[in-house]
Amino acid sequence: MTSADLHDHMLEVKDISLSFQGVKAIHQLSFAVSRGEICALIGPNGAGKSSLLNILNGVYQPDSGEVHYEHAHFSRLTPFEAARRGIGRTFQNNALFGKLAVIDNILTGLSRHSRVSVLEQAFGLPRARREAADFLQRSEAVLAFLELQPYRQTLVGNLAYGLQKRVELGRALVSSPKLLLLDEPMAGMNAEEKQDMSHFIRSINRDLGTTVVLIEHDIGVIMDLSDHVVVLDYGRKVGDGSPAEVQANPEVIAAYLGSDNGPLNTVH
Amino acid sequence: MSVSTQCALFSLSAAGWITRMRLQVGHWFSHGRVPYAWLVLSLVAVGVPLVSGDYWLNAILIPFLILSLAGLGLNVLTGYAGQTSLGSGGFMAVGAFATYACLIHFQLSFLLAIFLGGGVAALVGLFFGLPSAKIKGFYLMVTSLAAQFFLEWVFVKFPWFYNYSSSATISSPPITVFGWAIASPLSKYYLVLVLVSFLTWVAVNLTRSQVGRNWMAIRDMDTAAAVIGIRVHRSKILAFAISSFYLGIAGALWVFAYLGSAGVQSFSLQRSFQVLFIIIIGGLGSISGNFIGAAFISLLPLLLDFLAHTFFARMVDAGLLQNLQKVIFGSLIVWFLIKEPEGIARFISHLRGRLAVWPLRF
C-alpha cells in the first residue's frame, strides 16, 4: 500500500524541512500523493500544514529535501513555475482580488495561458479578441459549474465568505490544473455550504481527473471525501494511510485527537 | 371609475413608462458604451468649437484635454497597477524634451517625433520602474520622487536638451501634420483631441484586456497574483512603461500644443501633484475619472472665479475673494472625497444607478 514503486505518484515529498528563524515548522517530512486521489492533510493548528502547501507551490523554499512532481524534482520552485506546471492553489484566508467582479477574478486565473502580445490587446486586434472570447467562455463554464452565475458582476469584496471560497476555487480551476492545493476550503462554512463544497471538490476530482491535496479540520468531511490522509503534528508525520487506517492508528489518536472521546470516535 | 382612481392609474402608468424609459437609457449607458463614446466625441469635436472662441480652446479646453491624458497615464500606473508615483512631471518633461530633440536635432516630422518622445519617456519610466520588484508603497513613491528631481536636474544641466538657448526653454517650431499647419487654436485643439481620443481608446482596450486584469490583480493582492501565474514584476514594469508613454505624450502636447514654449519648471513636482489630484478626485482605476478629475481641477476654479466676480465683485476685497475661492475649492474637494472616497466617477455611476430606478425608489 505504501510502497512507492507500485503507485503512479504524481507528487512525492522527500525529507522536507523548513524552519522560521530557528523554529522548526516542518521536520524531515516525506509522503506521496497518487495520481487522481484526494489527499487530506490534517493536524492541529501550527502543525505545518499550510507551510507544506506553500512549499508545494513555491511560496516558501524548504531548507532541505526535495519535491518530485510529475517525475521532475525541485529543490527550488517559484510560484510562477508551479502555476505553469499545473499546480493550482487556494488560500486559508481568501486571497482574491477584492475590487474585481467575480467573472474578472475567474478570468485572472487564465493569465498564464495568454499568448497574445500587449500591442495586439492594446489595439483590439482579431487574435486578442478571439483569445478574450475563448477565455470568457472558459470562465463562464466555471461560473456555471460552481453555480456562481448570479454573482457574475458582483465585486468579490462584497460577497459572503463562503461564496468567496467558491470564487477562489473557480479561479484555480479555470486554468485546468493537474494538481489542486486547497487550504481549508470549508473553513467558516455552515453544514449546507460544506456539503456543496464537498460536492464540487468530488466532481472536480472524478469528472476532471484533478488530483487534490486539501487541508481540512472537519473530520466528518475528511472521512467522507478523501482517499488518503496524512496526519501532521509539530511538523512531523504521525500518520499516513486510508481514512480507516488513520482512524484506527493509536499514535494518531494519541497525538492529535486525544486518547478518548475525540471527534474521530463520533464518525462511523 | 372616480376621477381620483383615474388619476392614480394614470400616474402609475406614467411612472411605469418613465421607469421603462429610464431602464432603457440606463441599458444604453451601461452596455452601449461605444455609441455613447462616439456621441460624446462627435459632440466635442463639432459642437464645442462652434460655441467657444479661441480663448476657450487655447486656455481651457486644450489644457483640460492634455491634463486628462496625463491623468490617464498616471491612472494606468496608480489606479490600475497600484504603484504610487510622484514622478509624473518628470516623465512629462522627458516626453517634451525628447520630442523637441527629435524635431530640432533629428529633423523628424511632428507625429513621428511625438511618438518617439513618448517612447523615450516609456524607456525612462521602465528604468525607474525596475525597483518596484523589491520596493512597495510609500518607499516606491520616494523612488519616483528621486526620478522627478533627477529628471528636472538633467534638463537644466545639459544644454543640448534645450538647444543651447539662453533662457533654458524649448520653443515649438512651426508644426505640420500630414501637410496641415498646426498653428491656429482650432487646429491645435483638433490635434490634441485626435491624439487624446486615440490614446483613450487604447487605454480602454488595455484595461479591459488580460493585461489590465493582471494589473488590477497585482494592485489588489500581489502574492496571490504570483501564485496564479501572473508575472508580477513584468506586469509592473509594463505599467511603468505605458504610463510614462502617456505622460510623455501629454508633456510634449503641453509644450507644442498649449504653451508654445516652456522650461523644465512647467514639469515640476507641483505638476506631479496636480496629476495625482486629478486621478484621486476623478477616480482611481477609472478611465472617465481622468476627464472628470481634470475638468474639476481646471474648470471649477474658473467657474468659482466667474461666480465670485459676477456676484461679489464690489462687496468683497479682491485679494480676499481669491483666497475665498481657494477655500471653497478645497472644501469642495474634501466634501466630494468624504461623500465618495473612490472619486467622482464612482459618485456619478452610483447616481446613475439610482436614477435608473428613480420613480420607484430613489
Side-chain angles (χ1 to χ4, degrees), chain A residues 57 59 79-80 83 89 91 95 97-100 104 107-112 114 118 121-124 135 171, chain B residues 198 201-202 205-206 209-211 213-214 216-221 224-231 238 242 342 346:
Chain A
N57 81 326
V59 177
F80 179 79
R89 166 82 196 265
F91 289 83
F97 309 124
K99 288 184 182 166
L100 292 186
D104 289 319
L107 277 163
T108 57
L110 285 166
S111 270
R112 70 186 175 84
S114 180
V118 177
Q121 297 186 47
F123 298 117
F135 281 7
R171 189 182 65 186
Chain B
F198 170 69
W201 173 73
V202 168
N205 282 342
L206 276 176
S209 69
Q210 207 65 29
V211 175
R213 267 192 297 271
N214 290 352
M216 290 185 270
I218 291 165
R219 172 195 71 192
D220 285 357
M221 194 172 281
V227 167
I228 61 170
I230 293 173
R231 291 180 187 273
L238 182 67
I242 291 175
E342 295 189 44
R346 186 60 54 83

Side-chain angles (χ1 to χ4, degrees), chain B residues 95-116:
Chain B
F97 281 86
T99 304
Y100 184 70
C102 289
L103 286 173
I104 299 296
H105 297 298
F106 307 118
Q107 310 284 329
L108 298 177
S109 73
F110 179 72
L111 271 189
L112 190 58
I114 196 169
F115 278 101
L116 277 177

Side-chain angles (χ1 to χ4, degrees), chain A:
Chain A
M1 181 79 200
T2 50
S3 165
D5 303 326
L6 295 178
H7 286 266
D8 178 16
H9 288 319
M10 173 177 244
L11 177 75
E12 230 180 318
V13 174
K14 284 189 174 166
D15 291 328
I16 288 280
S17 294
L18 176 74
S19 56
F20 298 107
Q21 292 162 348
V23 180
K24 278 204 159 36
I26 296 175
H27 186 68
Q28 300 270 305
L29 182 73
S30 302
F31 72 97
V33 178
S34 303
R35 187 179 304 280
E37 73 173 8
I38 297 182
C39 171
L41 298 174
I42 64 171
N45 288 327
K49 306 181 298 291
S50 291
S51 300
L52 182 60
L53 285 199
N54 279 335
I55 289 174
L56 293 182
N57 81 326
V59 177
Y60 292 161
Q61 308 295 338
D63 300 333
S64 61
E66 292 190 331
V67 177
H68 290 238
Y69 169 72
E70 291 284 26
H71 311 297
H73 70 91
F74 306 95
S75 48
R76 291 181 68 84
L77 185 68
T78 63
F80 179 79
E81 181 71 6
R84 204 180 64 77
R85 287 170 183 270
I87 302 180
R89 166 82 196 265
T90 70
F91 289 83
Q92 186 175 356
N93 304 311
N94 297 343
L96 288 162
F97 309 124
K99 288 184 182 166
L100 292 186
V102 169
I103 183 75
D104 289 319
N105 265 277
I106 307 265
L107 277 163
T108 57
L110 285 166
S111 270
R112 70 186 175 84
H113 294 282
S114 180
R115 297 285 171 272
V116 176
S117 72
V118 177
L119 279 181
E120 283 171 293
Q121 297 186 47
F123 298 117
L125 297 184
R127 246 164 58 88
R129 271 190 268 169
R130 268 201 303 277
E131 188 185 83
D134 171 46
F135 281 7
L136 192 63
Q137 200 185 355
R138 285 160 79 174
S139 303
E140 296 286 2
V142 168
L143 277 192
F145 173 71
L146 293 175
E147 295 163 22
L148 283 168
Q149 280 151 327
Y151 313 102
R152 197 175 179 284
Q153 293 297 346
T154 312
L155 293 191
V156 158
N158 300 339
L159 279 183
Y161 189 73
L163 287 169
Q164 289 193 4
K165 289 250 161 203
R166 230 193 272 174
V167 177
E168 212 187 354
L169 178 63
R171 189 182 65 186
L173 191 63
V174 73
S175 65
S176 326
K178 287 187 265 182
L179 173 65
L180 203 48
L181 310 174
L182 307 176
D183 198 343
E184 301 200 17
M186 290 164 234
M189 287 187 173
N190 63 29
E192 194 185 337
E193 288 174 322
K194 279 184 185 176
Q195 242 171 23
D196 287 346
M197 190 50 107
S198 294
H199 161 75
F200 290 134
I201 293 172
R202 193 177 287 117
S203 48
I204 289 166
N205 177 249
R206 286 201 189 142
D207 304 341
L208 307 176
T210 310
T211 309
V212 178
V213 175
L214 62 90
I215 296 175
E216 189 43 60
H217 282 299
D218 188 320
I219 299 296
V221 168
I222 287 166
M223 295 301 147
D224 191 36
L225 194 60
S226 51
D227 307 308
H228 174 196
V229 179
V230 175
V231 189
L232 303 184
D233 191 22
Y234 292 110
R236 292 162 204 273
K237 186 168 81 173
V238 295
D240 188 347
S242 70
E245 281 170 352
V246 167
Q247 202 169 7
N249 184 339
E251 205 187 340
V252 172
I253 296 171
Y256 172 43
L257 302 163
S259 49
D260 57 318
N261 65 11
L264 272 192
N265 297 351
T266 65
V267 177
H268 309 293

Side-chain angles (χ1 to χ4, degrees), chain B:
Chain B
M1 199 186 284
S2 75
V3 176
S4 65
T5 332
Q6 270 181 342
C7 278
L9 275 179
F10 173 75
S11 65
L12 262 183
S13 68
W17 183 79
I18 291 169
T19 312
R20 274 200 304 282
M21 285 310 290
R22 281 181 184 278
L23 285 176
Q24 183 58 55
V25 172
H27 184 79
W28 286 335
F29 270 106
S30 54
H31 295 278
R33 284 201 172 112
V34 174
Y36 170 59
W38 279 114
L39 193 75
V40 172
L41 189 60
S42 43
L43 201 73
V44 291
V46 181
V48 168
L50 285 179
V51 294
S52 54
D54 280 359
Y55 168 76
W56 262 81
L57 290 176
N58 239 345
I60 296 163
L61 291 171
I62 289 175
F64 154 70
L65 283 172
I66 299 173
L67 285 176
S68 305
L69 183 66
L72 202 55
L74 185 62
N75 223 329
V76 162
L77 184 65
T78 303
Y80 285 94
Q83 310 299 302
T84 40
S85 164
L86 281 177
S88 313
F91 297 128
M92 287 174 81
V94 173
F97 281 86
T99 304
Y100 184 70
C102 289
L103 286 173
I104 299 296
H105 297 298
F106 307 118
Q107 310 284 329
L108 298 177
S109 73
F110 179 72
L111 271 189
L112 190 58
I114 196 169
F115 278 101
L116 277 177
V120 172
L123 286 178
V124 174
L126 188 150
F127 175 76
F128 283 103
L130 291 176
S132 68
K134 299 280 175 199
I135 308 174
K136 288 178 191 173
F138 283 111
Y139 303 96
L140 187 66
M141 200 157 81
V142 173
T143 315
S144 69
L145 207 54
Q148 171 74 36
F149 291 133
F150 173 75
L151 292 169
E152 277 186 48
W153 173 79
V154 163
F155 295 122
V156 174
K157 176 73 182 169
F158 301 103
W160 183 82
F161 285 113
Y162 47 87
N163 202 22
Y164 309 97
S165 77
S166 55
S167 58
T169 57
I170 52 177
S171 314
S172 174
I175 293 170
T176 55
V177 172
F178 299 127
W180 291 47
I182 306 292
S184 69
L186 192 63
S187 60
K188 285 179 181 170
Y189 173 72
Y190 279 126
L191 171 72
V192 172
L193 187 68
V194 167
L195 279 175
V196 170
S197 308
F198 170 69
L199 290 171
T200 305
W201 173 73
V202 168
V204 168
N205 282 342
L206 276 176
T207 52
R208 286 190 194 161
S209 69
Q210 207 65 29
V211 175
R213 267 192 297 271
N214 290 352
W215 287 337
M216 290 185 270
I218 291 165
R219 172 195 71 192
D220 285 357
M221 194 172 281
D222 55 355
T223 43
V227 167
I228 61 170
I230 293 173
R231 291 180 187 273
V232 172
H233 191 214
R234 187 186 282 189
S235 289
K236 281 185 191 173
I237 288 187
L238 182 67
F240 269 98
I242 291 175
S243 161
S244 303
F245 179 83
Y246 275 69
L247 286 163
I249 301 270
L253 288 176
W254 196 252
V255 175
F256 297 102
Y258 174 46
L259 293 178
S261 90
V264 78
Q265 57 277 3
S266 293
F267 304 110
S268 63
L269 185 60
Q270 210 172 350
R271 181 76 57 215
S272 299
F273 275 121
Q274 188 185 30
V275 179
L276 185 64
F277 291 155
I278 284 173
I279 68 168
I280 290 176
I281 293 167
L284 293 171
S286 149
I287 297 288
S288 60
N290 304 302
F291 293 89
I292 297 168
F296 195 91
I297 285 265
S298 58
L299 300 185
L300 194 65
L302 293 170
L303 179 71
L304 287 177
D305 193 49
F306 171 76
L307 289 177
H309 279 99
T310 322
F311 296 109
F312 302 105
R314 291 197 191 82
M315 284 179 259
V316 190
D317 169 64
L320 181 66
L321 201 61
Q322 268 204 329
N323 284 332
L324 274 177
Q325 281 176 46
K326 283 181 185 155
V327 170
I328 294 171
F329 183 59
S331 321
L332 275 173
I333 291 177
V334 172
W335 181 75
F336 259 116
L337 290 183
I338 290 173
K339 286 292 279 184
E340 185 52 73
E342 295 189 44
I344 301 176
R346 186 60 54 83
F347 183 77
I348 289 175
S349 80
H350 280 173
L351 207 64
R352 222 159 59 186
R354 278 156 65 171
L355 277 177
V357 293
W358 165 62
L360 300 180
R361 186 173 61 82
F362 191 77

